[in-house]
């Protein structure tokens, strides 16, 4: 197969996943929340079990007027939703779905690339906050910047622990080196990574930057129509990315209970949707953290635990 054909197929597959997986997670969130909270609305659109709820939401956003505030920095204001969305597309390029190079673009430093690109999210938050010319947006953006910059440290330390255990920064290499007993050995790092990941995508209970009871809707207050929909889509893509990284780094990726590598992609997808369900469940079950609680959790709990896990991993590697 010519190189350019293979490249087009790989990128095309990643784009299809980028467009479909977040929509499936969004539909699942509507249904899971409806069942957990006894909501009737999401069960009616389209008839059978409310199958068209997500379609109805999409039509609603398309019909809404696209408004740019008079005092806003128009160029930055309009660019911010794209800056929030594109980094997740780049991350999906290097996440392996299965063995035998079933990945958009294999990189020897894939983990380093992922952590660097995910950190761009803070730029989109600050762009939207500053360009909106709104005090609530600005306060939400400052909260978001403090949260994202703080939680990046435990996120990186937890990922470094599993990379040290595997002896590689390659995501497929980490999956290949993974063993079932890592579920116990790397469990603290997995919990830290998962919690920090939730904070990075600003999902409840870590949604203080968009606290509607205090800041209207934070840095997204002035956004309407499709631009607001792009921010929501970025949140759902973020769920997929955090679930996929948790799967690849800590849950064995394509490795399943059977030795058949042909079904590796299926095991990866099942694990991703299972972790996504946990993310949705946490949104329904736990109240929003206050700003002081959020920062205390980061600096007094997650950072020390991730550092201790890093020391433990180094000691085990030296012993082996």
């Amino acid at each position: 197969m010519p190189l350019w054909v293979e490249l087009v197929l790989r990128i095309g597959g990643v784009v299809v996943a980028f467009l479909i997986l977040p929509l499936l997670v969004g539909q699942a969130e509507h249904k899971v929340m409806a069942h957990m909270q006894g909501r009737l609305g999401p069960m009616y659109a389209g008839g059978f079990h409310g199958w068209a709820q997500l379609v109805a939401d999409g039509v609603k956003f398309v019909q809404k007027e696209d408004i740019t505030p008079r005092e806003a920095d128009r160029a930055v204001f309009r660019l911010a939703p794209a800056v929030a969305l594109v980094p997740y597309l780049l991350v999906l390029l290097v996440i392996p779905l299965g063995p035998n190079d079933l990945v958009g673009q294999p990189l020897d430093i894939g983990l380093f690339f992922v952590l660097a690109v995910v950190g761009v999210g803070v730029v989109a938050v600050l762009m939207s906050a500053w360009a909106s010319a709104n005090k609530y947006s600005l306060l939400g953006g400052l909260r978001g910047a403090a949260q994202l910059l703080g939680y990046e440290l435990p996120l990186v330390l937890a990922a470094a622990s599993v990379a040290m255990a595997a002896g590689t920064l390659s995501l497929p290499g980490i999956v290949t080196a993974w063993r079932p007993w890592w579920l116990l050995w790397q469990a603290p790092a997995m919990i830290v990574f998962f919690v920090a990941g939730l904070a990075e995508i600003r999902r409840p209970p870590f949604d203080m930057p968009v606290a509607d009871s205090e800041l209207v809707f934070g840095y997204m207050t002035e956004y309407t129509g499709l631009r607001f929909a792009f921010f929501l889509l970025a949140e759902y893509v973020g769920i997929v990315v955090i679930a996929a990284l948790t799967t690849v780094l800590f849950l064995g990726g394509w490795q399943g209970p059977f030795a058949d590598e042909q079904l590796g992609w299926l095991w990866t997808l099942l694990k991703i949707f299972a972790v996504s369900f946990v993310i949705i469940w946490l949104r329904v079950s736990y109240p929003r953290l206050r700003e002081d609680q959020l920062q205390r959790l980061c600096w007094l709990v997650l950072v020390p635990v991730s550092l201790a896990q890093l020391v433990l991993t180094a000691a085990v590697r030296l012993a082996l």
Side-chain angles (χ1 to χ4, degrees), residues 229-248:
F230 285 158
F231 272 115
L232 294 185
L233 180 60
E235 179 179 330
Y236 287 127
V237 182
I239 294 175
V240 174
V241 167
I242 293 301
L245 289 174
T246 304
T247 296
V248 169

Side-chain angles (χ1 to χ4, degrees), residues 5-133:
V5 174
E6 181 181 354
L7 183 61
V8 169
L9 290 176
R10 288 177 180 270
I11 295 178
V14 171
V15 171
V16 169
F18 176 76
L19 296 175
I20 293 179
L21 291 180
L23 296 182
L24 294 178
V25 171
Q27 182 74 353
E29 181 169 63
H30 278 90
K31 303 309 167 189
V32 170
M33 291 182 64
H35 282 293
M36 287 185 171
Q37 298 180 332
R39 297 185 179 186
L40 298 179
M43 295 300 179
Y44 280 94
F48 177 72
H49 207 68
W51 65 269
Q53 179 62 49
L54 205 62
V55 177
D57 287 342
V59 173
K60 175 186 69 175
F61 284 124
V62 170
Q63 291 178 335
K64 285 184 178 293
E65 184 179 1
D66 183 16
I67 298 174
T68 301
R70 182 183 305 167
E71 302 298 327
D73 186 327
R74 292 178 177 271
V76 178
F77 183 86
R78 293 173 177 175
L79 184 61
V83 176
L85 196 57
V86 170
Y88 293 126
L89 174 60
L90 298 178
V91 170
L92 289 177
L93 282 171
V94 300
I95 294 180
L97 188 61
N100 303 319
D101 280 343
L102 190 57
V103 58
Q105 181 59 50
L107 292 178
D108 292 336
I109 55 170
L111 181 58
F112 179 81
F113 174 82
V114 164
L115 295 176
V117 172
V118 168
V120 176
V122 67
V123 178
V125 171
L126 290 174
M127 287 174 63
S128 59
W130 179 260
S132 294

